[in-house]
Amino acid sequence: MSETLKTARDHQTVHQETVARIVTSLQPVRRLWPLSWRLAVWALLEVAVLLFALHNTRRTDLEQQMQNLWYLLGVGGFVLAGSLGAALALHSAIPGREPRAVQSVLLMVLALGSALLILREPFKTNLLVTTFIQKGMPCAQGIVVLAAIPWVALIWAVRRGAPLSPGFGGAFIGVAAFLTSFAFMRLRCPIDEGAHLLVWHLLPALVGIALSAWAGWLLLTRRKNRWHPSER
Amino acid sequence: MARVQEGDREACRVLLDDIGPMLANFLRRRIADRDEAEDLYQETLMAFFEARHTYQPSRPLEPWLFAIARNVAADHARHYWARASVEHLMDKLPEQSADDEPRSGPRLEEALARLPDQQRQAFSMVKLEGMSIEQAANRAGISVGALRVRAHRAYKALKKLIADYE
């Protein structure tokens, strides 16, 4: 009985102390914009990146390719996966609205399905390694350049929230930025060869996603609160 | 909660007094050690404070609040198991002999601690706290069907854990 009373009194003290500290520091906060607005802003940013990619395209057959169903499916699938990734990244920063497993599976299926379409492209085996590398390096750089600004914007947007799973949040941000970047590079790069797309487009995007998950773990981890018990 | 976001201190005090017992019960069901539960209680209130700008007044408060509490408890569980596995390895050192110590049966809390977070939460709410499936699903922010599945899996896992021990 006395033990119970002691515990109850201890809890009451902890409660009152913590409430007093919170109430003393309470300031008005700017509420986060609704998810749909934030997603719309991200989409507008990606449209700007798309216009930049199209302005600098090296393709001369873009109009012709726009009538090719498989090409459109490949590009559209990655854009869709990227947009879903962005939505899930923004969801991951709102407690109680974290992505469900089924949504993550859907994202993976969509991305994998789109990636499999690359295998439909012809594979040339007679290319010189030096030529392969020379033609590929600018594409790998392009993937990173086109993903950079949307990635920074998303990581900032997610940090503004309260991400509860930093690693997953970072991975979703990476998926959003790099898969959309992959799609835009297909509009920019004139090479529709399987090995080139796998090594110089898809591989950098996958590395980017892995690094993004790591960066998310570093940048999105919840700060230990200032009044952590160990600091009392 | 909207007034808390606007900086209304009295509203904040009233809200924290209101949700305090709910949060404390929620954490005590997960954390056997009273002192650790109090630390986590404090940490949860601070996390609530830091995340207050993410709450949308048009949505229910409970799923938002308990997602924060679940996360704090899950962080604690991860550290607990990391620590426990180190201690387990230490126990296996050859110079240590625990054979002469009698083994006691597991308490429900110990068996519960071995369950995945979501299953433990579902089981605790329905079987220990006596909530209806609908109330528990609402608190966890999932559908009734999903809650039912989690609670059933937890029950099966607990049965197996206890049987293995015996």
Side-chain angles (χ1 to χ4, degrees), chain B residues 71-116:
Chain B
N71 184 257
V72 171
D75 268 356
H76 169 80
R78 267 192 292 275
H79 290 124
Y80 173 83
W81 283 111
R83 212 166 51 217
S85 57
V86 171
E87 283 168 7
H88 178 70
L89 284 174
M90 296 293 283
D91 285 348
K92 281 193 160 182
L93 287 174
E95 59 265 34
Q96 298 231 344
S97 169
D99 289 347
D100 48 354
E101 287 195 13
R103 293 181 73 187
S104 59
R107 289 181 303 162
L108 181 60
E109 279 172 352
E110 288 169 353
L112 272 174
R114 290 177 167 227
L115 295 182

Side-chain angles (χ1 to χ4, degrees), chain A residues 7-8 10-12 14-35 93-98 100 159-165 222-229 232, chain B residues 2 4-10 12-13 16-17 20-21 24 28 34-35 38-39 41-43 45-57 59 63-64 67-68 70-72 75 78-79 141-143:
Chain A
T7 307
D10 287 350
H11 171 70
Q12 214 39 45
V14 168
H15 175 78
Q16 282 167 359
E17 279 178 9
T18 315
V19 169
R21 282 171 175 159
I22 287 175
V23 167
T24 310
S25 332
L26 191 69
Q27 296 290 334
V29 282
R30 198 157 51 88
R31 202 174 291 147
L32 283 185
W33 285 2
L35 277 172
I94 311 288
R97 298 187 71 182
E98 300 91 341
R100 307 252 159 107
R159 257 177 80 92
R160 274 271 301 137
L164 299 180
S165 304
R222 190 163 55 88
R223 287 160 296 154
K224 280 282 170 201
N225 67 61
R226 283 166 290 168
W227 299 298
H228 191 268
R232 272 186 296 174
Chain B
V4 173
Q5 290 175 321
E6 287 160 12
D8 184 332
R9 293 181 174 184
E10 192 46 40
C12 181
R13 189 183 297 278
L16 291 175
D17 285 344
R28 280 183 198 142
R34 287 273 167 173
D35 287 337
E38 289 305 328
D39 284 351
Y41 175 75
Q42 193 186 24
E43 198 175 324
L45 287 187
M46 290 313 305
F48 155 89
F49 171 67
E50 285 177 5
R52 67 194 186 282
H53 64 292
T54 65
Y55 174 72
Q56 293 293 330
R59 301 183 73 86
W64 178 84
I68 293 173
R70 253 197 321 274
N71 184 257
V72 171
D75 268 356
R78 267 192 292 275
H79 290 124
I142 57 175
S143 69

Side-chain angles (χ1 to χ4, degrees), chain A residues 19-69:
Chain A
V19 169
R21 282 171 175 159
I22 287 175
V23 167
T24 310
S25 332
L26 191 69
Q27 296 290 334
V29 282
R30 198 157 51 88
R31 202 174 291 147
L32 283 185
W33 285 2
L35 277 172
S36 50
W37 293 19
R38 304 168 83 208
L39 196 58
V41 171
W42 184 79
L44 280 177
L45 182 62
E46 285 290 13
V47 168
V49 176
L50 171 64
L51 291 176
F52 170 79
L54 288 176
H55 183 70
N56 294 290
T57 185
R58 284 176 277 139
R59 267 190 181 278
T60 52
D61 61 345
L62 198 55
E63 277 181 36
Q64 194 187 333
Q65 285 287 19
M66 285 298 161
Q67 287 155 15
N68 178 348
L69 179 66

Side-chain angles (χ1 to χ4, degrees), chain A residues 119-202:
Chain A
L119 300 178
R120 284 185 52 87
E121 301 293 346
F123 281 76
K124 288 181 189 166
T125 50
N126 56 350
L127 266 179
L128 284 173
V129 176
T130 47
T131 313
F132 182 69
I133 294 173
Q134 264 175 359
K135 289 190 169 179
M137 285 301 277
C139 289
Q141 286 167 6
I143 291 281
V144 176
V145 168
L146 294 183
I149 294 176
W151 187 87
V152 172
L154 260 186
I155 204 116
W156 176 80
V158 172
R159 257 177 80 92
R160 274 271 301 137
L164 299 180
S165 304
F168 280 113
F172 287 132
I173 291 169
V175 165
F178 284 95
L179 292 193
T180 313
S181 162
F182 177 96
F184 294 170
M185 267 311 283
R186 288 225 62 192
L187 302 173
R188 199 177 166 207
C189 166
I191 305 170
D192 291 326
E193 194 266 328
H196 173 84
L197 291 173
L198 285 176
V199 174
W200 301 110
H201 289 219
L202 190 60

